[in-house]
């Protein structure tokens, strides 16, 4: 169902019995997203929103490279100011909003790491199905020194619990899928090598369900979640992305060095 169909960099789409599969592919980079991949994903989502034949949309990573290891750090060298960083987060935020705007259930099928933007995409989906050994996190405090939008933090915290999400972010930890089942963040845990079968079983149930009921329930649960207020943290995004530490973090990451934080 979700086996890789190509090794080329990009977001590849295919439809299988009413299910649109969007596959994130960046071989050798753990499917980290480039600017082009974000644009392709936005286009696929826009087209999917207008379709009436879909039962569900699945987002997954290609091959064994994982779900998505965030944004390709090489792309972040383009960010030279706090405003650049804020514009980048709004750009990614528009893609997340497009996932939430789809009228059908969205499913993240995760094997390997779902990190940074990968975590945000998975948390934005209605349901997460993960293979044993998958990990989730946003270790930005240890890597590039940026910040997450409040909307992403709120979404992750509501799904896995505030205390767990806070600890994960502050300690730059990666949390195994096995530890996220009890909170419901991971809805179904597949044994190693069984992600396709677990996903297929879930999709069979969706295909047998009343389409209008699925769409109504999807919209209702999203409205319930959206009713919770989310604070603005643009000032903090501007501070982090406009800092010398962020530039140092990107430089050190690309050179595979440990960053020397200065707190400014």
């Amino acid at each position: 169902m979700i086996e890789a169909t190509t090794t080329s960099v990009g977001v590849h789409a295919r439809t299988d019995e009413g299910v649109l599969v969007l596959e994130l592919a960046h071989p050798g980079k753990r499917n980290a997203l480039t600017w082009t991949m974000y644009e392709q994903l936005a286009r696929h989502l826009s087209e999917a929103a207008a379709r009436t034949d879909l039962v569900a949309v699945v987002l997954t990573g290609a091959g064994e490279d994982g779900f998505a290891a965030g944004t390709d750090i090489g792309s972040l060298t383009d960010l030279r100011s706090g405003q650049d960083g804020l514009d980048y987060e709004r750009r990614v935020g528009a893609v997340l909003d497009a996932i939430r705007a789809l009228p059908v259930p969205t499913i993240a099928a995760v094997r390997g790491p779902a990190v940074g933007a990968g975590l945000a995409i998975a948390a934005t989906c209605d349901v997460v199905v993960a293979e044993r050994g998958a990990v989730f996190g946003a270790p930005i405090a240890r890597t590039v020194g940026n910040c997450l939008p409040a909307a992403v933090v709120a979404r992750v915290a509501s799904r896995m619990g505030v205390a767990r999400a806070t600890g994960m972010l502050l300690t730059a930890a990666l949390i195994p899928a096995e530890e996220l089942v009890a909170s419901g963040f991971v809805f179904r845990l597949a044994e190693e090598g069984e992600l396709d079968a677990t996903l297929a079983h879930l999709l069979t149930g969706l295909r047998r369900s009343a389409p209008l009921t699925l769409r109504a329930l999807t919209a209702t649960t999203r409205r319930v979640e959206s009713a919770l207020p989310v604070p603005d943290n643009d000032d903090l995004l501007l501070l982090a992305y406009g800092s010398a530490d962020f530039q140092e973090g990107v430089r050190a990451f690309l050179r595979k060095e440990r960053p020397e934080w200065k707190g400014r």
Side-chain angles (χ1 to χ4, degrees), residues 127-252:
V127 175
V128 176
V129 179
E131 187 173 88
R132 191 176 293 276
V135 292
F136 300 82
I140 55 177
R142 190 181 66 239
T143 53
V144 293
N146 57 333
C147 186
L148 295 178
V152 172
V153 174
R155 178 75 175 164
V156 172
S158 71
R159 286 300 181 94
M160 68 171 62
V162 175
R164 186 184 294 272
T166 300
M168 176 190 72
L169 294 173
L170 295 183
T171 65
L174 298 180
I175 302 182
E178 296 89 327
E179 297 182 14
L180 295 174
V181 176
S183 68
F185 185 93
V186 172
F187 178 66
R188 288 285 185 270
L189 180 67
E191 295 302 317
E192 187 173 352
E194 296 296 321
L195 182 61
D196 287 355
T198 301
L199 177 63
H201 180 74
L202 189 153
L203 292 175
T204 295
L206 291 179
R207 291 188 180 104
R208 293 174 177 172
S209 300
L212 292 181
T213 298
L214 284 181
R215 291 184 177 228
L217 288 173
T218 296
T220 300
T221 56
R222 292 176 187 170
R223 290 179 189 181
V224 169
E225 290 184 330
S226 297
L228 299 175
V230 176
D232 182 287
N233 74 331
D234 284 359
D235 57 328
L236 303 176
L237 293 171
L238 287 167
L239 176 67
Y241 279 104
S243 68
D245 273 355
F246 172 69
Q247 298 298 326
E248 165 65 8
V250 172
R251 181 203 67 79

Side-chain angles (χ1 to χ4, degrees), residues 24-218:
L24 310 175
H26 195 168
K29 289 291 187 74
R30 295 191 173 185
N31 297 328
L33 289 103
T34 63
W35 296 133
T36 299
M37 289 174 68
Y38 278 121
E39 292 168 359
Q40 292 173 344
L41 182 55
R43 184 172 66 252
H44 287 309
L45 292 169
S46 176
E47 293 171 354
R51 293 177 61 174
T52 59
D53 62 320
L54 294 180
V55 175
V57 173
V58 173
L59 289 101
T60 192
E64 301 302 319
D65 277 340
F67 183 74
T71 299
D72 184 0
I73 302 301
S75 301
L76 299 185
T77 58
D78 297 337
L79 309 184
R80 294 295 180 182
S81 68
Q83 187 60 50
D84 287 344
L86 186 58
D87 291 342
Y88 154 70
E89 290 294 355
R90 287 174 174 167
R91 189 171 175 181
V92 176
V95 174
L96 300 179
D97 288 343
I99 295 174
R100 295 287 288 169
L102 291 173
V104 295
T106 54
I107 303 166
V110 181
R111 60 165 57 91
V115 177
L119 169 69
I121 291 172
T124 299
C125 290
D126 299 304
V127 175
V128 176
V129 179
E131 187 173 88
R132 191 176 293 276
V135 292
F136 300 82
I140 55 177
R142 190 181 66 239
T143 53
V144 293
N146 57 333
C147 186
L148 295 178
V152 172
V153 174
R155 178 75 175 164
V156 172
S158 71
R159 286 300 181 94
M160 68 171 62
V162 175
R164 186 184 294 272
T166 300
M168 176 190 72
L169 294 173
L170 295 183
T171 65
L174 298 180
I175 302 182
E178 296 89 327
E179 297 182 14
L180 295 174
V181 176
S183 68
F185 185 93
V186 172
F187 178 66
R188 288 285 185 270
L189 180 67
E191 295 302 317
E192 187 173 352
E194 296 296 321
L195 182 61
D196 287 355
T198 301
L199 177 63
H201 180 74
L202 189 153
L203 292 175
T204 295
L206 291 179
R207 291 188 180 104
R208 293 174 177 172
S209 300
L212 292 181
T213 298
L214 284 181
R215 291 184 177 228
L217 288 173
T218 296

